[in-house]
Structures are given as structure tokens and as C-alpha cells.
Amino acid sequence: MVNKNVSNIRHFPLVEQAELADKDLFNAHQGYIIPEYINANLAHTLRHYQDEALRNYHYTRTQIKPSPQQVLFNMATGSGKTDLMAGLILYLYQEYNYRNFLFTVNTNSVLMKTKDNLVNQNSDKYLYQEKIEIDGKQISIVEKERFPRIQQENTIYIKLASVQNVSDDLFVVKENAMALDDYEHQPVVILADEAHHYSALTKKKNGKETKGQVEENTWESAILKILNARNEHIQKNLLLEFTATVDFDNGVIYDKYRDKVVYRYPLSKFMSDRYSKQVKRIETSASDEDKMLNVVLLSQFRKYRAYSEGVSSAFKPVILFKSPGVTISKEANKIFNQMIENLNVKDLIAFIKRQQIMDSNKSSALSLAYDFYLKNEEQLGKIIREIKLDFDARNVLNVNDKSGNMLEKGQYQELNTLENPNNLRRVIFAVAKLTEGWDVLNLYDIVRIEKEAGTNKNATMAEAQLIGRGARYYPFEIKGKKSYRRRFDNDSSNKQLFLETLHYHTMNEPQYLKQLIGSLKQMDLPTGEDKKNPPIEIKVKSSFKKTDAYKQGKIYYNEVEDVEDEWFDSIDKYGINHPTDISRSLNYDSREVSYKEIAGITEKKIISVSKFDARYIKKAIQRLDFYKFDNLKKYVPLVSSMKEFIYGKDWLNANELKLFLNVPKEYKSTDVTTDDILNVTIGLLKEYEVKFKSGYVKQRGTNKFVGYPIKEYLTNYNKRVPEYDTANLFNETMQKIHVYEIEDDFYVYEKAIVNKLEYELIERVKAHVNELKEKYQKSVYLLRMDENMHRESVKSEKLKLHQYGSRMNRSGEITPTHSQGFQPDFILFLEDSEFYFQIFIEPKGMSGDKFISELWKQDLLLYMTDNQAEMEFETNEENVQISGLKFYTKNDGQHTMEQLANLVQIKNQ
């Protein structure tokens, strides 16, 4: 029986409606762009998903009537919900005149962190610019315990309070507290963080609310009282909730939030978009003390490795020891300090050698660390002195204060400035308080202290939540460049393992691991086990090295040339076919045409739009930010003015244009409205925008093909087989990669590390080998052009194809030039005594929009095949033919092998 995750089939109308509106050319929301004043006043530019979240909220404010008072943003841990809050504060202040914002959360640690984010200008984590300015006015953000009755102009007031205090102020009579009438006097926006804690009343009702039921004094009821305090006013109070973990599998929770969820960005998407570290588990049977020494060795090696890769000296990997209780945490802290103090060369060597022979230790990262220390045995005395300095008790922070819930002020500051070079802390000991609100970025190792640790669902879920927080990406600087996304996903070295991976050190107990992986799956958090995964050497077959093909053969790619701005002197240079007679289809789905006409897709007709003129071009340009002149000049440098762009014969030529619309046969010219014409014009210019951007290239391919010696480029190389674990739970379409031994001499390597589709292609080619050998007696070889062969080589850039020629696809449409080159995965190399044939083959397993976005590569391959006469080669190379095939898809869905058979004139099988 298949266990389906119920949340996967939950529907959230606001999200679905906003997504549909964003795709609808005729919806006013589609063209909405986040106001410039938001990013201009934030410390960080909003990422694409934060931008989408704000756009979705704008949709609810402008397209839903009445707009919802309460919405929920369900976004992954670490995805920057507080950055989004900061943007929403500016948006609601400027667009809807909200001045009072109540931020509330259930833990003081999150509250203090958010104070630094929103009101403490001296904090490194402050999310606004030093000066906030909108429409020429300087805006002040002022923290208040109580919103003033008389409010200053150009001022945003923020109250930050725990939900416990907010609730107490409402339900317990106290002096100088914000009672309910304070929330009635001025409109307030509640920013409720960690909102999954605010459903106690909902859960208690369990969907069975009875008449006259009295609300209890819960956090949820307190928030709802504030929300509803101004329901009699035009400007109502608003509630914006934020959480990463909400249990939509619970029916009453889903019913509560079904029509309130405005945006979702799950953890798996956050991780696949590369905004987080990778997560690997080190499953070991080692004792807690051995795990402590292991992680110290790994952390210090991580630091050394980072420096050797050119990472800034500010790089400081941090370790967290997670304990089940305060007493155990303090005991572990004491053992750790003694271990560091007593560390010596002799014992360390013995420890490493013992660990190396233990079957339970299969960690790739630890193995590399062990090798490093043993190879540097003569330097171990110095290394141990550095370890003792870095992990001295003064650099260890135990955050288990007596309250068991809140952090003392000094601890809070140290805990939330761990990335600061002046903060020397390398180790944190904690119990459960860091599950929420801790946003340290340079955490690289979490160690589960096993003593008395729980293995039930609650325990493993808490661990999964902690792992999710630790996975936040650390934007380290390498060779002077900083990135906020993973850089080394496709790197065959160990850079990702040590610079972009969080390791969770846990126990090797089957039942516990099953429970933990279940919790990780429930959290939508993909992880993998850190197993030894040495690179496999892929060797060129010795038999192939003896052939003339290897010794004297060449592989051909086209050269590129620089493109000067002077070349872009007309609209057609961007691949835009812009005739004076423009034909477009009218979107008529909402018209009152007969049911049979729509259902049967019957006859249509072309009508001329007599009302069309340059005014529609001007109006459409006003609606599209791309066509603001300062921006347009970046892509169309030879245009001197907007007037020239609109009326010039080499550009839009607006005075000469005629518009023809494809409409149902019963349509009349009078049925076409001015809005119809404008929307058609906007659609046309949006298509042109894409081509202006992609067509403006500084280098382009030429028809000159150069041969590069096979023996210089086809070499032995190393490659790892990717390890998959829980990661593939969230990506069922992921193509697993395997190692295949290929003995047949047509394949030039001893092994192929390929996915299922690539192997299927190899087998398809193999089926034709005998026929090919009959026709091409000298050489029949399939070359795998793996990027790992020449990753570090500058000359590898030569082994790429670039678009050239008229760039017209098989449908007769001119296509924009893609400046980047690409390397097809396979080359079929055929040769007889008089003829040399090179055929590029590219497998593609993707579908939908991703497949469509790659079709320019297929167009180039087919263009080469169809335009052999255009190719130029070096002297005495007239016998060379270069061709390309359609993408090879699953089960040869595009009949690529049939095209190959016709091309080389053999029978198709």
C-alpha cells in the first residue's frame, strides 16, 4: 500500500489564483513589479521567491474583494522570512498607510534577534538601509512599547513582544500595558512569527465549535481579538503569519489556513534552488567522546581546507553539540574541555588509526580528514597546539541558562554574531532552545549526544528542525567573490563536501535512523548519508590509443568572434522578425461565442484592425519597465531616443504597422475593443523583450570550424558517482547515475558513468555498429565528452558549439542568438579512406518548460546538418562533414535513431 503524503494534495486557493493571474496576459496583476522603494531601502535585495511572496500578497490586496485580513506565508527555514517582513512593512506603510506594526513570537531568542533585524541600526543584522527614503521623504522606524495616540508624520512604529506578554496584556489588567482598546484606536498589522504555535484553540475545538462557546485565553484567541478589534472601521487590523512548519495533514489546521495561505516555498525547493548547504549524515557507532574528537578533527580540517582553496581568513566553522537535557549538556561540555586539554600527538595518532579500521566508520569527510593528519604527522605538534587554541574552553559557549527557555543578553549576542571574525567561539552546547530563531550561517557540524537521547517521533522531529536551521548557506568569500548560493554542486573535487555541506553526526541504530529519516521526509528536508565515495578513474581504452583515429584524428568545433555594438543597428539583428503586417491571435476565451465554436475549435478568420496605430505602441511601452529608455539602451545601444525606437524604420516603425487578428469566424471588427488591441500589443512587446535580452551578445559563433587533436582532449579523468539518499524522496524524476563497464571497442572509454537515458543511447548506437563498420571501415567510435575531462583547463572552452548563421529554426522563424556555448554529451566519429564524419548527439531527459528552454541547442545541431555548404574548414579538410541530431529522448521519442540512419545511409532498427 502506498503511503501518500496528504499535504501534497492539499489545495490553497489564494496561491493557485495568484499563480493563474500571473500567467494571464489579460490580468492586471501579471505586469505588477515590486515597487522600487522596497529593494532600495532594504539591506538585501529580495530573492526571486521573496519577490513572488510579496507579489502574491499584492494580489490579495488588489484582486480579492474583500481582501483577506489574515494570511499565512509558509516558507522554508532559512529562506529569509524576516527580510520579507521588512519589505511588507514598507509596502503596507506606503500603499495602505499602516504605521503600527506588532511583531510577536513565542521565544525571547527570536524576539531579540528580530529587534536587531528591524529596529537596531547598530546591528550587523539590521535589514534596512541606514536611511530609509520614499518619494523624497525620510522615514523613521521607532520601537514602542505602546503605540502613541498622536503619531508623527513619516514614522513607522514597531512593537516587539513575546506572544505571552501580548496575551497577558489583554487578559490581565495591568498599568501601562496595551489593552484591547489600544488596538482599536489605530490600525495595526500583526506580524506573527512561528505561527504554528498559535492554533491551540483551533485544535481544542477540533472543528466542532458549539453555539455560545467561550473562547479561552490562549495565544490564538489573543491574536484574533487584536485582529478583529477594528472590524467596524474601514481600515481594519491585519494579521500576517509566518512559519516553516505547519501541519496541513491535520484536518482542523488545514481548514483554518486553507483560504489564508498566500505563498508556499518548501524546504526541498529552497535546497534544490541552492540557497542552502547540502546536508549529510555521519552515522557512527562511536561513543559520545569519540564523536567529539572526530568532529573537532573534521572541523579543523574543514578550516584548513577552506584556506587552501582561497577562502577568506574570516572562515570559521562552528560545531553544535545537541543534548537531551541540561545536566547531560553540562557534563558533555566538561568532558569536551578535558579532552581538548589532554590532547597529545601519540594518543591522536592511535585514535585515528583505530577509527580507520573500524567498519562502522564509512564517512568520506572523516576519511579525508584522517588522511590529512597522518600525512602531516611531523606537523601534528603544531596542529594540536592550534586545536587547543581554537577549541579552548573560552571559545566554548554553553547556552543552557537556568530558565531553560530564554537566553541571557550576553549569550544571545555571542550566539548571533558567530560569523563575526571578532567572535572566537567554535563550539556551542545546547538542548532545545535553538530549534527556532537561530540563524547562524557558519554552523557546519551538529553532533547528537547519545546519552539518554530520545528516539521517538517528537525527538527526531526536533532534530530534523535543528538540521533545517543549520542548513542555512554561509556566503563565504573565495578569491574575492561572495555567493549566496551553492557554487560547487557539479564540482568533482571535495569543495562542496567541506565548504557547502552540513554534517549531522548521529548514532548508527536502524530503528532510530528509520524514525529520523521519516521526520526528515515529513519536514521535506532532503539529506544523504556521508559515505566514502572516492572518484573512479575513467580510462581511455589502450586499444583505442593504438588507432590512427586517436593519434591523428580531430574533433571539430566552431570558433567565436567578438561582436561590436555597431553591429546591432536594427531590430532584425536581435533575431526579431518584425514585418509591417503583424498577425496575432486574439485571446477570445471570455467572449460570448457559441459553445460549439469554442469546443470544436472550428473555423477562424483574419480581420484587419483599422483602429490600430502608434498610440498603442506608446501605451504598451509605458506599461513595461524594460522599455524605459535608460534600461532599453543597455540592450539597444545604437538607439538615440525613444522616438527613434518607436518610429524608426530599422526599429518598431510604428507609423507603417498594420495589425491583423486571428478570430472566430463570427467575429466582427467592431467586437474588438481598445483593451484587446492594447493587450495584444503588450504581448507582442513582451516577446520582443525576451529576444532583445537574449539577442544582445558580445560574442557569437562563426561558420569556421577548427579541428582539435583527439589525443589532447580525450584523456583519462576522475569522476564520482553521485550518492542518493533521502534527496530522491523529493525528486522522483531524478536520473540516477551508475557505472557501466563497456567492453565493446566502439566505445572509447573502459567505463561509462552515465544516467539511464545516456546508457540507453549508448545501447541504441551499439545496435547499429556492425552496419556502420561495413560502411565506414576505418573508424566507428562513440566519444563521451564529459565536462570532468577538462574541468580545470582553459582550453576546454574551445570544445563548445556556438550558434551561428541566420539562426532560423525549422519552422522558418528567426531565433535569437544564445551567446553561451554548449558541449553535446556524445560524438559519433565515423571514417573511411576518403571521408570523415562527426555527428553530435545530445540526450535530454527533461520535459516541459526546461526542455523548451534548451531547444536552441537542438536548433543549432539541426542547422549544422541542414547547412553543410556554409561550413568553412582549414586547408585540405574538404572531406570533413559535421552534423547534429535531434535530442535523444526516452525510448527514442523523437526518432533520433531514424534520423541517424538516414544521415549515414544505413538501415534503421
Side-chain angles (χ1 to χ4, degrees), residues 480-498:
K481 293 184 179 180
K482 185 179 284 191
S483 173
Y484 292 87
R485 301 175 78 177
R486 292 196 307 273
R487 300 180 245 205
F488 306 117
D489 275 23
N490 297 314
D491 196 303
S492 61
S493 72
N494 288 305
K495 290 179 185 177
Q496 185 185 87
L497 188 63
F498 293 103

Side-chain angles (χ1 to χ4, degrees), residues 810-824:
R810 288 200 162 187
S811 300
E813 299 170 328
I814 297 176
T815 60
T817 297
H818 289 73
S819 58
Q820 69 271 37
F822 87 103
Q823 167 60 267

Side-chain angles (χ1 to χ4, degrees), residues 405-464:
N405 184 44
M406 291 179 286
L407 300 176
E408 296 171 5
K409 179 71 174 175
Q411 289 181 331
Y412 162 77
Q413 288 177 331
E414 290 193 80
L415 194 63
N416 280 277
T417 58
L418 286 169
E419 302 100 328
N420 192 317
N422 298 322
N423 184 329
L424 302 180
R425 302 285 191 176
R426 286 290 296 275
V427 177
I428 308 296
F429 281 87
V431 179
K433 67 192 62 184
L434 304 180
T435 304
E436 293 175 356
W438 194 37
D439 61 353
V440 68
L441 304 178
N442 57 335
L443 176 64
Y444 277 91
D445 294 279
I446 301 175
V447 183
R448 180 186 193 269
I449 298 298
E450 190 174 335
K451 185 178 179 181
E452 297 184 24
T455 58
N456 58 22
K457 184 176 180 180
N458 288 340
T460 56
M461 181 55 71
E463 290 178 35

Side-chain angles (χ1 to χ4, degrees), residues 9 84 152 165 209 298 342 380 457 480 501 593 705 747 826 853:
I9 57 173
L84 176 61
Q152 299 290 325
N165 287 342
E209 185 174 1
L298 178 56
N342 297 330
L380 276 185
K457 184 176 180 180
T501 297
V593 292
F705 281 74
Y747 193 77
F826 293 92
S853 69

Side-chain angles (χ1 to χ4, degrees), residues 22 28-35 37-38 54-55 58 91 95:
D22 213 32
H29 176 66
Q30 197 220 36
Y32 178 71
I33 296 173
I34 301 301
Y37 65 79
I38 292 180
L54 207 153
R55 281 174 52 81
H58 171 79
Y91 170 81
E95 307 296 333

